[in-house]
Amino acid sequence: MSKTNDKKLWSGRFKEETATILDEFNSSFNFDKRLYKEDIICSIAFAKTLAHCKIISSHESEEIIRGLNKILEEIETEPQAWFEKNKNEDIHSAVESRLINLIGDTGKKLHTGRSRNDQVITDLRFWLKEEVKLIISLLKELRGTFLNLARKHYDTIMPGYTHLQQAQPITLGHYLLCYEQKLHRDLERFFQTLERTDVLTLGSGALAGTSYPIDRKFLASELGFKNISENSIDAVSDRDFLLECLFNISLLNIHLSQWAEEMILWNTEEFKFISISDAYATGSSMMPQKKNPDIPELIRGKSGRLIGNLTGMLTILKGLPQAYNKDLQEDKELIFDSVDNIKIVLHISNEFLQNITFNKDKMYESVNRGFISATDVADYLTKKGVPFRIAHEVVGKIVAYCIERNRQFKDLSMSEWNSFHKLFGDDIIEKIKVESCINSRNIYGGTAPEEVIKAIQRAEKRAI
Ligand code: ARG
């Protein structure tokens, strides 16, 4: 960045001009200019409050507000040109300098009882509140898609995995509801963060509060803040809400990266549990046969930068003395990047999910290949009085016997079953069917279709 255009707002005690490199290093303008609207709105409310509290006259306040509205109009008409012409240390200084240019000395009254320390955090909270609301609505939509698909696949049978080894049969609906749950908790977290973001910090001054009788309640209601910060030192240094948001975003993306990993795997030649519609897949520049799952790969990959932003913010805050320190200026690029990325991730995840086809036949075929009903065979004996540990051992031997002979449970004759345990009866044939395994898991929260339907009903009723 070249030298800033206007005289510095704080140049009074300085004899020499600042070095160009200082200006470049110090400036946040290139990234915080996106807060221009929030800055102007908060300044308008502040000017109103100054008049309301008789700190400046109504006439002066109106003049300031007119000037600020004019600046807003200027920026919205020609943003690039405005930013180029009005480059400054940060957006707050740029707006204030332009105001003074526009309306003269009255503009110099706007900063009465205000510091950029309480101003920047007010702007940021004001901005983040709206962004969190957007994230919440995108998250709700994605959660809704998982729910819709669960409804459609409440009784679709597939293998369930632990250690990525076939473990027990499950319903696809149950699997989809697993993500509905994770996203539901994510939603709760964003709502909680919204509460803690919804705090007015203006009126805290640089750190100690202000001697002007600023009516903070009036200001809070003008800006639609629900709460007012309790401690001016905390107000200008607190970035917990931002950190929470970075954490919520990281965790949300971790959930989505887990799902993305499964979609990548299920899309392979080996699994073929899903097919991705052409509009949501990419090709290879070299291998003509390829159809690549770039979307879930990128969703998975985004975790790196999102966790990086969280770690970055945690590190900035570690050991910071109270109250405001310039280190805190580094908060913005991290939160901007995380918010921008999670919004697109949520959006594309939803579209991607709506555009995959679940290959039910392939899932069913795969679930019937191995020994996925082994637990049920052990449970069969246990329900006839055999202690579970013994039953487990017996079934382990049956599995080994089958593997050696390249056979499956369904291929065993009754006398073979009985050679392992006399309590096996004809009904074992029915018990080892995947449908029976699934239907029997009809406990609250279990995978049986009847339970999946109940879980969907509960999910539909949840307030959030
Ligand atoms: N650009 C600064 C930031 O983003 C604004 C606050 C500056 N305060 C100060 N005392 N230099 O944190």
Side-chain angles (χ1 to χ4, degrees), residues 40-66 68-69 109-112 114 202 213-216 218-224:
I40 292 173
I41 293 173
C42 292
S43 282
I44 289 176
F46 192 66
K48 253 192 206 169
T49 309
L50 288 178
H52 173 80
C53 305
K54 314 236 166 339
I55 300 165
I56 61 173
S57 72
S58 309
H59 178 73
E60 288 167 331
S61 167
E62 280 157 22
E63 216 184 322
I64 290 173
I65 294 169
R66 256 197 311 278
L68 289 167
N69 277 320
K109 296 197 169 188
L110 172 62
H111 215 50
T112 314
R114 185 176 77 168
L202 264 181
I214 290 171
D215 182 343
R216 299 188 71 205
F218 177 84
L219 186 50
S221 87
E222 279 295 309
L223 286 173

Side-chain angles (χ1 to χ4, degrees), residues 441-464:
R441 295 204 164 80
N442 59 354
I443 193 167
Y444 186 103
T447 200
E450 56 177 296
E451 279 309 312
V452 172
I453 289 172
K454 287 184 201 156
I456 291 169
Q457 287 163 352
R458 291 196 297 273
E460 281 164 347
K461 262 192 239 134
R462 266 195 295 267
I464 284 177

